[in-house]
Structure formats: C-alpha cells, structure tokens
Amino acid sequence: MQFNWKLNEPPPNIEPHSEAKLNVLRHYLREYIRTLTNNYRREEFKLDLVDGFSGGGLYRLENGREVSGSPLVMLEEVTEAEFSINQHRTGCTTISADPLSHKGFQAHA
C-alpha cells in the first residue's frame, strides 16, 4: 500500500497489519532500551535509530483517531524510557535522541 501525506489534510488511514507492526516496534524498543540501560552507573546512553521507510509519521485509524507512525513511535519510546529508567535512580541517566544529530542525515533534512 502506498500512503499519501498532504499538508493541511488528514493523515492517511492505517491498515491493521501496519498498526500491528507499530505496536511490535513500540514494545521492542521499550524492552531494548530498558535492557541496554540496566547499568545504574551509566549516566548517558547514546542510541542511533534509523527508519529508512518512515513516511509522514502520522496515520489515522478507522474511527478517525490519529496514531503515531514509526519515527514518532521511536521518539516517544526514547522519551518514555528516559523517564522510566530514572524513576528509581538517585542520579539521572540521559538518552540522546536528536533526530538530526547524524551528519549523513542533516544533508537530507
């Protein structure tokens, strides 16, 4: 299926299999980051996430509700992970998630 995002128009509808893929991505990233940040002595965690087929980043369900696409899911999960891992720590661990931090991507942004 080809999606078509247009400025000032509602995002395209998402198919059930794509919605399932986004749920898998969300849960995988949550566990992946949790596992990699399990060391309480680590104060910073750098992670590069690349989505080569990200599309417009926003979709619509059949009921009209908007849901995040993969690039937004990645940013949301990094934000949630940073909050979650710092809940029970005395120090603060940061996760770098600058979407334009890689030089190779800055030329295409």
Side-chain angles (χ1 to χ4, degrees):
M1 170 177 238
Q2 183 173 343
F3 295 103
N4 193 6
W5 287 270
K6 293 184 180 175
L7 192 60
N8 299 321
E9 290 189 16
N13 290 333
I14 190 169
E15 297 289 327
H17 68 279
S18 295
E19 185 180 5
K21 177 204 78 157
L22 292 171
N23 288 331
V24 168
L25 175 64
R26 184 176 297 281
H27 293 288
Y28 177 83
L29 283 172
R30 187 172 297 152
E31 290 303 311
Y32 182 69
I33 294 170
R34 185 185 62 77
T35 299
L36 293 176
T37 58
N38 212 16
N39 182 346
Y40 283 81
R41 289 177 275 160
R42 185 179 214 161
E43 294 179 3
E44 183 179 30
F45 176 69
K46 293 185 180 184
L47 176 64
D48 291 325
L49 299 172
V50 177
D51 188 346
F53 303 97
S54 65
L58 200 61
Y59 296 92
R60 198 169 32 149
L61 298 174
E62 285 183 7
N63 65 11
R65 187 172 66 92
E66 292 181 351
V67 294
S68 297
S70 52
L72 296 179
V73 165
M74 288 191 286
L75 291 172
E76 290 164 3
E77 285 306 311
V78 166
T79 301
E80 176 61 31
E82 186 173 64
F83 174 78
S84 179
I85 64 175
N86 286 307
Q87 287 282 314
H88 306 288
R89 295 183 181 200
T90 54
C92 184
T93 297
T94 59
I95 302 175
S96 299
D98 182 356
L100 298 177
S101 65
H102 192 279
K103 291 178 185 175
F105 296 114
Q106 289 177 352
H108 301 290

